[in-house]
Amino acid sequence: MRKLFVDTNIVIDLLSRREPFFEEAAELFSLADKKQVELSVSSLTVANTSYALLRQMDSNKAKSILRKLRLILKILPLDDKIVGLTLNDDTFTDFEDGLQYFTAIEYEQEVIITRNLMDFKNSKLPTMTAKQFIESIE
């Protein structure tokens, strides 16, 4: 089973039903629900997603959504090593993108799925949009 690391924007696209990206995010998560791929996110994604959801709904509803999300996602921890790798890396100018990247590397993910390919232009891992990944397996 392919191990896909999902960037925060894809999760927010799904949970906030952001158009025109919702359909491709939903299709990606459907693959995980059917056990055709394994989706992982960093713990930072959970925090950032919570923040985004709280701008749209109350805390109880946001937590309920995040609890359901955990059923089909693997949440990877951020630790001192990942922070250190990010701080000592000059290829990622955005610190959060660096944290995401090194989490994916540390936990041996195969592909990074993001809507912002340019954020990962220096990635040693293949980086695709959800749509590109779905098209690649059809």
Side-chain angles (χ1 to χ4, degrees), residues 57-116:
M57 62 193 67
D58 68 48
S59 175
N60 289 333
K61 182 161 172 117
K63 282 184 180 180
S64 174
I65 289 170
L66 292 172
R67 279 193 293 272
K68 290 174 186 170
L69 182 68
R70 284 184 63 209
L71 298 173
I72 57 172
L73 278 179
K74 185 173 184 179
I75 300 173
L76 305 175
L78 260 174
D79 61 17
D80 185 61
K81 179 180 180 182
I82 292 166
V83 171
L85 287 167
T86 304
L87 288 172
N88 290 305
D89 182 84
D90 294 330
T91 58
F92 286 89
T93 55
D94 183 290
F95 186 69
E96 190 265 344
D97 291 336
L99 290 171
Q100 300 287 36
Y101 173 71
F102 285 108
T103 300
I105 293 287
E106 185 66 19
Y107 291 95
E108 300 175 344
Q109 302 298 291
E110 296 174 49
V111 179
I112 296 174
I113 305 294
T114 184
R115 193 164 22 86
N116 300 323

Side-chain angles (χ1 to χ4, degrees), residues 36-51:
Q36 294 176 332
V37 296
E38 178 183 281
L39 299 183
S40 297
V41 297
S42 74
S43 53
L44 178 62
T45 291
V46 178
N48 289 343
T49 301
S50 173
Y51 178 80

